[in-house]
Amino acid sequence: MSVTPATMAQAARRTDARAAIRAPADPFAMVRRGLVYLLLSIAAFVSVFPFLWMVIGTTNSSADIIRGKASLGGEFFNNAVTFFTQVDALRVFWNSAFIAVVATALTLLISSLAGYGFEMFRSRVRERVFALLLLLLSIPFAALMVPLFVMFSQARLVNTYTAVILPTVASIFIIFYFRQATKAFPTELRDAAKIDGLKEWQIFLFVYMPVMRSTYAAATIIVFMANWNNYLWPLIVLQTAENKTITLIVSALTSAYTPDYGMILFGTVLATLPTLIIFFLLQRRFVEGMLGAVK
Amino acid sequence: MSSLKLTAVHKSYGSVEVIKGVDLEIKSKEFVVFVGPSGCGKSTLLRMIAGLETISAGDLEIGGTRMNDVDPSKRGIAMVFQSYALYPHMTVRDNMGFALRFAGVAKDQIAIQVQQAARILALEPLLDRLPKELSGGQRQRVAIGRAIVRNPQVFLFDEPLSNLDAELRVHMRIEIARKATMIYVTHDQVEAMTLADTIVVLRDGIIEQVGRPLDLYDDPANQFVAGFIGSPKMNFLAATIVEKTTSSVTLELTNHGRARLALPVSGGAVGEAVTLGVRAEHFGEPGAGEVDIALDIDVAEHLGSTSYVYANRGGEALTIEREESRNEIGMQTITVSIDPVRAYLFDARGQRIR
């Protein structure tokens, strides 16, 4: 190969690039990097501090907490005993877990079916129907809850698990999320499955669902947390103590004449644990799912 | 019987017609290649045969049975996709046996069939791997294996062999073509020439020509086929018919100083604007043909055994192939001759004048 000014310039650029990797030419690069780390540290602290305070609070008495004590104390067991004495924890956790698990499973099934359908089947009205669905996202729940209550009341479903679960299972946001994720699903896999003799429901069950497991994992975290933490609608439809969920119970504890904050924070930590466990179990898939990875 | 027949087949998406009436008969155990530029409808036609696209009008018969409304899995076809379309969550073994599982074949029979296909394709050591753990070539072999296992009457290939190494490609061609009819889609005419018993050239949803590879090369029906089949592409020179007898026409080349040559064809009319087609390898040494033309050289590529000279005159770009040539190095112009016996004539609509 002949050496021309152009090839020499190219070689020089490559050498410059290698030098830039070895030693940053910009003397302010370190300062800038330091600033970024500082800002990220502040953001991390602001995010983590409430949790930290909540956990520390479980070890302090109500009086200490009100005084603003932010160090570990020795009241943990007292707070635990008080909580378990006042609250039928097993029952409450069962209520929350049953509602969250069933609602999550149904939401994922129904919303992913809808997302799959919207993306896979061509129709002239498809985009209009989808736009209408997205428009419905703008209606606040507060505007829906009274008509919803009337409906469930007429259907004699008030104070049942069904009443809490049913309104959540067709989540527009999750349908949207699955439709977007389905865009990355290779249509040739569906074609191959058709040639292999699978019916549409079998393609969904045996090909789509396993391939989209990261999307399902991310959606599981989002939907499970939403259902576990759901407050307003259960507050309206669950009327007897034996049906109430953990969020309602913890909230009810704060309404006492002299709230026992140590005990309340203990309950809050307990209420937070399942969502944390789910998140850490599915964390890797959650990141993949949010990035829309189909592998 | 694994013959295949398309009769007046149409495909429309709303008001857009993409397949505009295709008639084609494919004999049993024939290797047919659909070739054409992007968007010509070759993949759509393949998908219609597979049952992945509905047929808007016309009939499809496989083995003498009308298949228009038959489920893809019951048409006796297997398809290999361009992207391989392997199920990413299944091992090679499960990918290959998946169709049989849904066809209700016994487990031990599935194992035997998968093992046989794996042996043909040298996939035995890879059977327990996931697709993501395989190289591109290995994935293609699995995709082909998945098709073989189903023992179909007709294999449909959507540009899948292009990355397969040459030896395996020949092996595959022999192994599969012995047993079944093959329809292969590609945009690569060299691949079509190499593999096919019969080539079907498509453009804008219609068949331009059907024939054996060398028939298409030697005797193209129109300017499109002439330009598409053969590498480098056929050269086209603007001309006008200035004289005509019952057995020949005399042309004047528009961009070459009104140079004249007579072609042994009976069609055409005096004064008609026509296009003269000459393949790169058919330009001769000066004085060897009926007429010489001088060209300005843009660039010359020397590949050792062959040289390609890219030249032009009057804005008309031409490619000239020369064997064992080093002479063009440093040259500004080149003079070549045209042999009328090895030239083709096309009318203004691109149809061959014979």
Side-chain angles (χ1 to χ4, degrees):
Chain A
M1 195 180 91
S2 60
V3 178
T4 64
T7 54
M8 282 173 67
Q10 255 179 4
R13 273 199 296 278
R14 278 198 295 270
T15 315
D16 287 351
R18 279 197 293 268
I21 292 165
R22 275 198 303 272
D26 183 358
F28 295 105
M30 290 288 283
V31 179
R32 268 207 295 273
R33 182 175 287 191
L35 268 174
V36 167
Y37 277 107
L38 184 70
L39 283 173
L40 287 177
S41 303
I42 293 169
F45 180 76
V46 169
S47 309
V48 171
F49 180 74
F51 288 97
L52 200 65
W53 189 82
M54 181 174 79
V55 173
I56 291 169
T58 60
T59 65
N60 288 316
S61 67
S62 193
D64 285 341
I65 294 166
I66 290 166
R67 270 206 308 277
K69 185 180 175 221
S71 57
L72 289 172
E75 295 294 319
F76 181 79
F77 285 104
N78 281 343
N79 290 333
V81 170
T82 318
F83 179 80
F84 288 118
T85 320
Q86 287 196 17
V87 175
D88 181 358
L90 214 59
R91 178 79 207 175
V92 168
F93 262 87
W94 165 252
N95 291 341
S96 276
F98 182 84
I99 287 169
V101 168
V102 174
T104 304
L106 286 176
T107 307
L108 291 188
L109 181 69
I110 289 167
S111 304
S112 64
L113 267 171
Y116 177 83
F118 268 118
E119 192 52 35
M120 289 297 177
F121 299 105
R122 277 177 259 170
S123 153
R124 280 182 204 160
V125 295
R126 173 174 80 170
E127 296 311 321
R128 278 178 226 161
V129 173
F130 196 67
L132 193 70
L133 267 188
L134 290 185
L135 203 66
L136 294 180
L137 268 181
S138 62
I139 302 175
F141 182 71
L144 297 174
M145 61 190 187
V146 174
L148 262 180
F149 184 80
V150 173
M151 278 168 63
F152 280 97
S153 171
Q154 282 170 355
R156 296 178 188 284
L157 288 171
V158 171
N159 201 30
T160 62
Y161 292 151
T162 314
V164 186
I165 293 166
L166 218 51
T168 65
V169 294
S171 159
I172 297 168
F173 174 72
I174 299 297
I175 293 172
F176 173 74
Y177 173 64
F178 268 100
R179 187 187 176 181
Q180 291 308 109
T182 306
K183 287 182 195 295
F185 178 76
T187 49
E188 284 196 341
L189 282 184
R190 181 166 168 250
D191 292 340
K194 275 186 188 170
I195 288 177
D196 279 347
L198 275 75
K199 305 276 172 242
E200 199 68 53
W201 70 268
Q202 290 172 317
I203 296 173
F204 183 80
L205 199 65
F206 296 112
V207 181
Y208 178 83
M209 286 179 93
V211 169
M212 303 297 282
R213 58 187 183 276
S214 296
T215 307
Y216 277 97
T220 300
I221 292 176
I222 297 167
V223 176
F224 184 86
M225 278 174 71
N227 280 297
W228 183 270
N229 295 330
N230 197 2
Y231 176 71
L232 188 56
W233 180 240
L235 181 71
I236 297 165
V237 286
L238 297 179
Q239 293 171 344
T240 54
E242 70 265 23
N243 279 346
K244 291 201 170 176
T245 58
I246 184 84
T247 43
L248 299 181
I249 295 298
V250 170
S251 166
L253 293 174
T254 60
S255 59
Y257 187 65
T258 49
D260 183 345
Y261 288 115
M263 183 262 286
I264 291 168
L265 286 175
F266 180 83
T268 314
V269 167
L270 274 188
T272 314
L273 277 180
T275 53
L276 279 180
I277 291 167
I278 293 273
F279 181 80
F280 283 115
L281 282 178
L282 300 174
Q283 188 184 23
R284 191 170 64 88
R285 295 238 175 264
F286 178 76
V287 175
E288 281 176 11
M290 292 313 275
L291 292 173
V294 176
K295 287 188 178 166
Chain B
M1 276 290 287
S2 54
S3 61
L4 192 143
K5 191 175 171 190
L6 297 164
T7 312
V9 165
H10 287 257
K11 175 71 190 175
S12 308
Y13 295 106
S15 59
V16 182
E17 199 174 20
V18 289
I19 300 291
K20 300 166 184 167
V22 165
D23 293 287
L24 183 67
E25 264 195 85
I26 298 171
K27 291 195 285 286
S28 185
K29 296 185 182 175
E30 195 174 11
F31 195 129
V32 177
V33 175
F34 291 174
V35 70
S38 297
C40 70
K42 55 189 188 298
S43 284
T44 306
L45 197 57
L46 193 79
R47 290 172 59 81
M48 287 162 78
I49 294 169
L52 297 171
E53 298 282 352
T54 54
I55 297 172
S56 305
D59 289 319
L60 161 71
E61 289 175 29
I62 299 175
T65 311
R66 189 174 182 272
M67 290 286 181
N68 285 42
D69 305 313
V70 176
D71 194 74
S73 62
K74 297 191 172 67
R75 292 187 180 204
I77 52 111
M79 186 159 168
V80 181
F81 294 87
Q82 190 171 14
S83 68
Y84 326 132
L86 300 177
Y87 307 119
H89 56 294
M90 292 181 201
T91 61
V92 169
R93 191 189 302 279
D94 291 342
N95 260 287
M96 287 168 72
F98 197 55
L100 300 179
R101 210 178 100 197
F102 278 89
V105 179
K107 269 187 181 174
D108 47 352
Q109 185 57 33
I110 294 175
I112 292 167
Q113 283 178 247
V114 168
Q115 200 66 35
Q116 275 173 352
R119 188 175 38 75
I120 294 169
L121 293 158
L123 284 169
E124 282 162 310
L126 310 174
L127 281 174
D128 294 313
R129 290 206 199 160
L130 288 171
K132 68 178 177 188
E133 295 162 348
L134 304 176
S135 71
Q138 288 169 336
R139 284 180 206 183
Q140 277 177 326
R141 274 148 59 196
V142 177
I144 293 164
R146 189 169 66 176
I148 289 177
V149 161
R150 300 186 62 221
N151 211 6
Q153 295 182 60
V154 182
F155 276 96
L156 307 175
F157 288 85
D158 195 358
E159 306 199 32
L161 295 186
S162 44
N163 297 325
L164 219 59
D165 69 66
E167 194 189 341
L168 194 63
R169 191 151 109 173
V170 173
H171 182 60
M172 280 306 316
R173 163 116 176 56
I174 296 165
E175 194 62 48
I176 300 173
R178 249 193 341 221
K179 295 177 186 159
T181 307
M182 310 244 280
I183 304 176
Y184 189 99
V185 162
T186 182
H187 65 272
D188 181 351
Q189 58 87 25
V190 176
E191 198 172 50
M193 295 288 283
T194 327
L195 293 170
D197 295 325
T198 300
I199 293 181
V200 178
V201 183
L202 286 141
R203 180 172 61 156
D204 292 338
I206 56 162
I207 292 179
E208 290 284 351
Q209 193 173 358
V210 180
R212 288 181 298 174
L214 285 178
D215 290 346
L216 261 58
Y217 180 83
D218 292 334
D219 191 16
N222 53 47
Q223 194 174 341
F224 175 76
V225 175
F228 198 79
I229 301 290
S231 178
K233 200 174 176 259
M234 185 184 278
N235 297 290
F236 296 113
L237 296 89
T240 309
I241 297 176
V242 288
E243 280 175 38
K244 180 173 175 2
T245 67
T246 50
S247 60
S248 73
V249 293
T250 303
L251 311 175
E252 204 171 76
L253 298 176
T254 314
N255 296 308
H256 300 276
R258 305 204 174 278
R260 288 188 174 203
L261 81 161
L263 252 69
V265 297
S266 54
V270 173
E272 185 180 348
V274 290
T275 304
L276 181 72
V278 184
R279 294 207 182 274
E281 61 273 30
H282 293 158
F283 285 110
E285 296 295 329
E290 193 180 308
V291 65
D292 289 352
I293 55 171
L295 304 163
D296 304 316
I297 295 177
D298 293 324
V299 66
E301 285 175 356
H302 300 286
L303 308 178
S305 63
T306 310
S307 295
Y308 293 110
V309 181
Y310 300 94
N312 82 88
R313 179 57 59 97
E316 205 168 62
L318 301 175
T319 308
I320 297 132
E321 186 178 330
R322 287 290 173 87
E323 278 180 27
E324 293 279 345
S325 173
R326 306 286 189 278
N327 301 336
E328 289 74 23
I329 298 170
M331 280 171 58
Q332 299 294 312
T333 60
I334 182 170
T335 303
V336 291
S337 67
I338 298 172
D339 179 358
V341 179
R342 311 198 84 173
Y344 305 85
L345 198 61
F346 304 99
D347 66 17
R349 290 178 299 116
Q351 293 305 308
R352 179 93 175 268
I353 300 173
R354 294 175 188 271

